[in-house]
Amino acid sequence: MKIALIGAPSSGKTTYFSGLYLAFRNSIAFKHMTDGQIMEAQKRGLSEQFSFRVSISDSDLDGFMSRNSASLLRIPVEYPNGNIYLDKGLISGIFAFRPLTGDQLTEKHIRDFTIFDPPGGAFHGLHEKSDDIVEEMASCDVFIVLLDAENIMEALRRKSKNEAFQFLAALGKIDETIRDASSSLIDGDILPVCFMISKFDILQENVIKEVNDLIYDNLILPYSGENDKYMICVCPTSVVDQKHGEFSPYNLEWPFIFSVAGTIFRNSLAVRADADTHSRLTHDHEVRAREVERGSWWLKLTAYLRGTGVDASKARARELRDKRGRLITIADDDLTLARKLWGRLSTEGRARHVRVFMGGSEIDPAIVAD
């Protein structure tokens, strides 16, 4: 799975990934749940516990993340220094599930991520955005866009409600690049885009009202309406408890949860479309075989010479039918994980203000899961 990570300078990319590494680098672990917590989870429609972990294959990158994230454990917190280059190695996400009332691990899914991490200056007017960046982004499955919460609120307060969605233009070339990279989307395809609002802890008081009135209602809803081929997730994140000045990860895992769920959904649309194409072609070859079988000796001869005789047409129909079955099986394997993740987004995600939009409306992720 290939992720395009987009963010203007100082949007919090290094801090975010250092926090993600610190919070989720260990082995799979499930929290102990009391009877009351189990009952509350069941009321919300949950039947399983969920655990997320990350691992990094590149030893240099892993060492850098380990050293860089250590500053977050100091009190007061010290933010990591230096730039992080995520395209050096593979990042793996482990998604694990077990029953609410049991101790047995029921499922574990591993997904590998390659990160395309263009320089922030390409989106902030510091240097020209190259065609290579657009081409590379167009090959990505999902976009994660880092937005600085403080800058968003400051900019949106200065704009009228009708013009709020144009705020993305103030982020330099981010919106332009997303549009360029998605211009080749075919009918029926979608582009998952996660707007990750970093430094969310800065907002502190009246967070919910600020987010609902300005970011969600006046920015994301109209932007979603302008871009109906995007499936947009908005995820507020932070790494610091401002009140106590200590490391306190909030929502750091959800951009990756949405990335996997959104990409599988996107791929399933393509797989199903391919499967439908194979069904039509299978039918065409079967019809052709019957026509030749019932036709004149001349039709049989010419069909044989062209390689479209009865046996060839039947063999091709069998081949296409088998391939269609394999495509559907692959899709169903991935959809098992996707359904679980969309279910988490619908319950836990929404409770933590992670929201999903399409076509100018907010959608319940449970609908996608179905």
Side-chain angles (χ1 to χ4, degrees):
M1 188 176 301
K2 187 174 179 181
I3 296 175
L5 183 67
I6 310 168
S10 302
S11 57
K13 178 178 64 177
T14 298
T15 300
Y16 167 72
F17 274 95
S18 296
L20 182 78
Y21 179 86
L22 191 60
F24 297 105
R25 65 180 173 177
N26 297 322
S27 57
I28 293 171
F30 294 94
K31 295 179 180 178
H32 173 73
M33 297 182 69
T34 65
D35 290 342
Q37 289 172 326
I38 291 173
M39 291 180 62
E40 181 62 29
Q42 290 171 335
K43 287 179 183 178
R44 289 190 284 129
L46 297 176
S47 60
E48 294 178 310
Q49 276 189 281
F50 170 66
S51 178
F52 172 72
R53 289 295 178 265
V54 296
S55 65
I56 299 174
S57 61
D58 183 83
S59 58
D60 290 338
L61 179 59
D62 186 71
F64 175 85
M65 297 281 274
S66 180
R67 293 188 300 273
N68 228 34
S69 62
S71 64
L72 292 173
L73 293 176
R74 297 179 185 135
I75 299 178
V77 160
E78 293 181 16
Y79 291 98
N81 293 317
N83 294 321
I84 185 170
Y85 299 99
L86 295 160
D87 50 2
K88 291 176 60 179
L90 196 68
I91 297 177
S92 297
I94 299 96
F95 304 83
F97 303 86
R98 78 171 186 186
L100 288 175
T101 56
D103 296 327
Q104 295 296 318
L105 180 70
T106 54
E107 285 186 41
K108 183 172 74 172
H109 303 264
I110 300 175
R111 291 296 183 271
D112 295 329
F113 305 98
T114 55
I115 309 292
F116 174 57
D117 181 20
F123 308 107
H124 208 58
L126 300 183
H127 57 73
E128 286 301 313
K129 166 179 56 69
S130 70
D131 292 339
D132 290 341
I133 288 179
V134 174
E135 184 177 347
E136 190 75 21
M137 286 179 59
S139 69
C140 292
D141 299 297
V142 60
F143 293 176
I144 295 180
V145 183
L146 280 78
L147 305 179
D148 185 308
E150 191 171 35
N151 289 342
I152 289 176
M153 302 308 294
E154 182 181 349
L156 286 178
R157 289 188 185 109
R158 295 196 303 262
K159 293 180 178 290
S160 70
K161 291 184 178 181
N162 293 333
E163 296 174 336
F165 74 95
Q166 295 177 6
F167 164 71
L168 287 180
L171 293 171
K173 301 181 180 180
I174 289 180
D175 181 46
E176 175 190 336
T177 307
I178 294 175
R179 291 176 187 271
D180 288 346
S182 62
S183 62
S184 59
L185 289 177
I186 62 174
D187 289 343
D189 194 7
I190 63 162
L191 177 66
V193 179
C194 179
F195 287 108
M196 191 183 80
I197 306 172
S198 62
K199 309 178 186 178
F200 202 69
D201 49 285
I202 292 172
L203 300 182
Q204 297 186 55
E205 298 179 3
N206 300 320
V207 167
I208 304 304
K209 178 173 174 48
E210 294 271 54
V211 168
N212 285 341
D213 290 352
L214 293 176
I215 296 179
Y216 290 120
D217 293 345
N218 295 336
L219 171 61
I220 298 301
L221 275 174
Y223 184 75
S224 172
E226 288 285 313
N227 300 279
D228 58 3
K229 285 192 173 184
Y230 298 174
M231 173 181 276
I232 296 173
C233 174
V234 183
C235 180
T237 66
S238 65
V239 298
V240 176
D241 178 344
Q242 288 285 340
K243 184 176 181 180
H244 299 98
E246 59 186 20
F247 177 64
S248 179
Y250 179 73
N251 283 355
L252 303 186
E253 69 274 36
W254 291 99
F256 279 85
I257 292 172
F258 171 76
S259 293
V260 172
T263 299
I264 292 175
F265 179 69
R266 180 185 187 185
N267 290 344
S268 72
L269 296 178
V271 167
R272 297 287 175 173
D274 287 345
D276 290 344
T277 299
H278 280 75
S279 292
R280 290 193 297 272
L281 291 174
T282 298
H283 173 74
D284 292 345
H285 282 286
E286 288 173 340
V287 169
R288 177 62 177 168
R290 288 195 295 270
E291 288 176 348
V292 173
E293 206 166 26
R294 298 168 184 166
S296 65
W297 68 268
W298 177 252
L299 179 62
K300 290 184 174 66
L301 176 61
T302 55
Y304 173 78
L305 294 174
R306 292 172 183 166
T308 57
V310 174
D311 291 342
S313 294
K314 287 183 176 180
R316 182 59 176 151
R318 283 194 299 272
E319 179 185 341
L320 289 166
R321 192 182 301 109
D322 290 344
K323 188 172 182 180
R324 179 187 183 278
R326 290 196 297 274
L327 286 170
I328 295 298
T329 300
I330 292 170
D332 285 344
D333 286 344
D334 265 352
L335 286 175
T336 299
L337 173 58
R339 287 191 186 101
K340 289 178 179 291
L341 296 182
W342 284 119
R344 309 308 293 196
L345 282 159
S346 178
T347 51
E348 288 179 276
R350 295 181 90 187
R352 298 175 73 85
H353 317 300
V354 179
R355 297 166 66 178
V356 180
F357 301 82
M358 280 192 76
S361 299
E362 182 177 1
I363 63 171
D364 182 351
I367 298 174
V368 185
D370 296 334

